[in-house]
């Protein structure tokens, strides 16, 4: 007989003493929950971070009576961020219409005062010109009629908004970390009093708070799942100890140290927990893949489409989807999911060790 | 050797209470017991039922610890404060033969006998040789693959003796080892235990079989109501 087999022939027969199927199933269920919770937390963090980053850089300006002539085009110039203004009212002269059509990266914008609006401009175009002249602006986009119709469709239906007097909506994408300068805001107020500026950085703070809350909840849930798993393992170990009480007492009488008996139980429980953990993690992959596919457009990944043919999706399509998901899955999620089975095994091992050693204390 | 000096043990000691779950039972099982047995000595342990024979053997097998007095086994002082690992190591040097054999029901006779060596992590090839030799000695070579339930009482007790002595312990204790056996089997068992003592182990055999004691004359320790009433320790 081999040495390894000989060592195992100690009468404990743990493969029969421990409720292996139920323990494996329970650990698999716990690992599934932990995997889904962890994946949810990682996904929420990734999406919220992305959204928060996007929200922080996006400003929306609503200009009432957009086709009216600009009230004060002399206010329609901006200075670069942090730079002192040239005039006491915070605006500089804006007389060149050409400047308003320049892209945001044009060198003239970085030189300070820019002539952005002309007296013959409407309020909307004058504000567009001011915004485009701002050095922190990356993109200025005024929503056209069909885009506004789409925005309002949930409230106004297909009839559209053409009959209503609506403000012009201008989206401004700023450089990362930048904000609209006070001068630009003052210019907008002078050109079109009553304009509404929505700064989304408040949303960013809220999104980050939500993400942090979700992460805290997820951490709590994972801890709870781990604790419940440990309790389940502890109960299974107690069952095994009860079933093998006589054998353990015989081994104890023959001089077996506590560590020997504890390690025999711990190895068995850890093996079952590892298998359960792997099963639970594998079971979590299909729903995670589905969620990841749904969230891909929201989290910045490309939209994954498959299964559009009459025969359903093919194996090749599935492989492509999995490969894409693998490539787009955050490394933290992959690492975390990989750790779940080993964490389950460790919890099983340490729980069994503690339980058996405490139980053995009743013997001298 | 074994040495006891004024050893007292009551049911309800911390270890005993935990072991048997009788926290309220504080009856005195042994009271001021003093004796010693030299290395290689053989002693009968005699007395009526309830005299404390099994309690004394439990103490000597370190299944319980004395509340007072001194207990020394194979040069190691045993008390409440002794480390568990020390007790475990010492227990490996004390062989025990129980009245009910206490063989592992799921293991073959050879695996049962091999247990003490495997707990010492001996090389498996050496274990096989030792087991074969000891089974030859107790006359169970042909039954090595049998399960305990397939053996007679006498055969099971011989297997238990083989397991108790295979690691060449310094002390061998036997608690009524011939209780359920017929005369010829009893003599064979006691003959083996006597042989173990001649090989250098200290042997104490509890029995109330007077015929057996007469057939194998040896110094006796006599207990009554937990007290040692007769000690022939000075006998050869």
């Amino acid at each position: 007989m081999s040495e390894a087999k000989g060592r195992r022939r100690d009468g404990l027969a743990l493969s029969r003493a421990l409720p292996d199927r139920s323990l494996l199933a329970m650990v698999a269920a716990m690992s599934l929950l932990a995997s889904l919770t962890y994946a949810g937390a990682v996904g929420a963090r990734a999406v919220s971070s992305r959204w928060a980053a996007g929200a922080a850089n996006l400003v929306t300006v609503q200009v009432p009576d957009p086709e009216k002539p600009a009230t004060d085009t002399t206010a329609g110039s901006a200075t670069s961020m942090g730079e002192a203004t040239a005039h006491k009212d915070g605006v500089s002269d804006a007389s060149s219409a050409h400047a308003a059509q320049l892209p945001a990266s044009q060198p003239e914008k970085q030189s300070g005062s820019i002539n952005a609006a002309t007296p013959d401009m409407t309020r909307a175009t004058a504000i567009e010109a001011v915004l485009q002249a701002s050095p922190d602006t990356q993109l200025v986009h005024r929503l056209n009629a069909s885009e506004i119709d789409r925005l309002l469709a949930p409230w106004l239906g297909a009839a559209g908004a053409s009959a209503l007097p609506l403000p012009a909506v201008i989206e401004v994408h700023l450089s990362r970390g930048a904000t609209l300068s006070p001068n630009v805001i003052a210019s907008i107020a002078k050109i079109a009093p009553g304009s509404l500026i929505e700064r989304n950085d408040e949303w960013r703070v809220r999104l980050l708070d939500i993400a942090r809350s979700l992460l805290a909840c997820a951490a709590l849930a994972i801890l709870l799942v781990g604790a419940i798993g440990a309790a389940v393992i502890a109960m299974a170990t107690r069952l095994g100890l009860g079933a093998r009480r006589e054998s353990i007492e015989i081994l104890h009488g023959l001089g077996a140290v506590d560590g020997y008996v504890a390690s025999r139980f711990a190895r068995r429980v850890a093996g079952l927990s590892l298998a359960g953990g792997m099963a639970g993690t594998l079971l979590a992959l299909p729903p995670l893949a589905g969620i990841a596919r749904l969230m891909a457009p929201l989290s910045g990944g490309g939209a994954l489409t498959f299964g559009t043919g009459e025969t359903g999706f093919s194996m090749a399509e599935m492989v492509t989807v999995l490969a894409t998901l693998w490539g787009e899955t955050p490394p933290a999620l992959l690492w975390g999911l990989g750790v779940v089975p080993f964490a389950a095994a460790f919890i099983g091992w340490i729980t069994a060790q503690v339980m058996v050693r405490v139980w053995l204390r009743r013997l001298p | 050797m074994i040495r006891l000096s004024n050893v007292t043990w009551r049911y309800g000691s911390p270890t005993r209470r935990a072991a048997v779950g009788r926290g309220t039972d504080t009856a005195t099982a042994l009271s001021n017991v003093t004796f010693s047995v030299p290395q290689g000595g053989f002693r009968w342990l005699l007395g009526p039922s309830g005299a404390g024979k099994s309690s004394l053997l439990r103490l000597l097998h370190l299944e319980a610890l004395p509340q007072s007095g001194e207990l020394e086994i194979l040069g190691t002082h045993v008390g409440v404060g002794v480390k568990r690992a020390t007790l475990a190591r010492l227990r490996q040097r004390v062989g025990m033969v129980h009245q009910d054999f206490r063989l592992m029901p799921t293991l073959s006779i050879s695996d049962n006998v091999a247990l003490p060596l495997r707990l010492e992590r001996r090389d498996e090839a050496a274990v096989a040789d030792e087991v074969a030799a000891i089974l030859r000695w107790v006359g169970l070579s042909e039954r090595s693959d049998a399960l305990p339930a397939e053996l007679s009482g006498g055969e099971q007790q011989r297997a238990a003796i083989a397991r108790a002595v295979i690691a060449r312990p310094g002390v061998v204790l036997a608690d009524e080892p011939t209780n359920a056996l017929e005369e010829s089997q009893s003599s064979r068992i006691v003959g083996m235990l006597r042989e173990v003592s001649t090989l250098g182990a200290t042997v104490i055999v509890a029995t109330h079989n007077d015929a057996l004691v007469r057939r194998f004359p040896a110094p006796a320790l006599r207990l009554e109501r937990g007290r040692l009433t007769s000690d022939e320790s000075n006998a050869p």
Side-chain angles (χ1 to χ4, degrees), chain A residues 19-37 225-226 228-230 232-233 269-287 337 340-345 347-348:
Chain A
D20 50 358
R21 283 184 190 168
S22 54
L23 180 61
L24 199 146
M26 291 298 286
V27 173
M30 294 296 152
S31 301
L32 173 65
L33 283 176
S35 299
L36 292 177
T37 308
V225 165
I228 293 171
V232 167
I233 290 167
V269 171
L272 290 171
S273 301
L274 180 65
M278 291 175 79
T281 307
L282 287 174
L283 285 173
L285 290 181
L337 292 180
V340 166
F342 297 101
I347 290 173

Side-chain angles (χ1 to χ4, degrees), chain B residues 46-59:
Chain B
L46 308 175
S49 295
K53 301 192 295 294
S54 294
S55 298
L56 179 58
L57 290 181
R58 286 176 66 87
L59 270 185

Side-chain angles (χ1 to χ4, degrees), chain B residues 31-92:
Chain B
S31 180
N32 294 316
V33 174
T34 300
F35 72 88
S36 63
V37 184
Q39 201 58 37
F42 183 99
R43 296 290 182 274
W44 290 110
L45 181 59
L46 308 175
S49 295
K53 301 192 295 294
S54 294
S55 298
L56 179 58
L57 290 181
R58 286 176 66 87
L59 270 185
L60 296 176
H61 191 225
L62 309 169
E63 294 173 39
L65 303 175
Q67 284 108 352
S68 64
E70 289 182 15
L71 170 61
E72 182 186 330
I73 297 175
L74 298 171
T76 302
H77 289 274
V78 178
V80 173
V82 70
K83 289 181 180 174
R84 290 178 66 80
T86 304
L87 286 176
R89 277 196 299 273
L90 193 53
R91 225 176 262 124
Q92 289 178 353

Side-chain angles (χ1 to χ4, degrees), chain A residues 1-3 6-7 9-11 245 247 250-258 260 360-364, chain B residues 15 18-19 61-64 84 87-88 91-92 102-104 106-107 111 115-116 118-119 121-122 124 163:
Chain A
M1 59 192 143
S2 71
E3 186 168 348
R7 292 260 159 79
R9 285 185 197 165
D10 54 14
R245 182 191 178 105
S247 300
I250 291 172
L251 287 176
H252 183 76
L254 291 173
V257 294
D258 293 357
Y260 174 83
L360 286 171
R361 287 277 158 184
R362 67 184 63 193
L363 304 175
Chain B
T15 52
H61 191 225
L62 309 169
E63 294 173 39
R84 290 178 66 80
L87 286 176
R91 225 176 262 124
Q92 289 178 353
R102 295 201 189 174
L103 298 170
M104 295 281 197
T106 58
L107 294 184
D111 282 332
L115 272 177
R118 286 182 178 146
L119 289 175
R121 299 191 176 276
R122 297 261 190 99
E124 200 59 29
R163 187 181 66 182

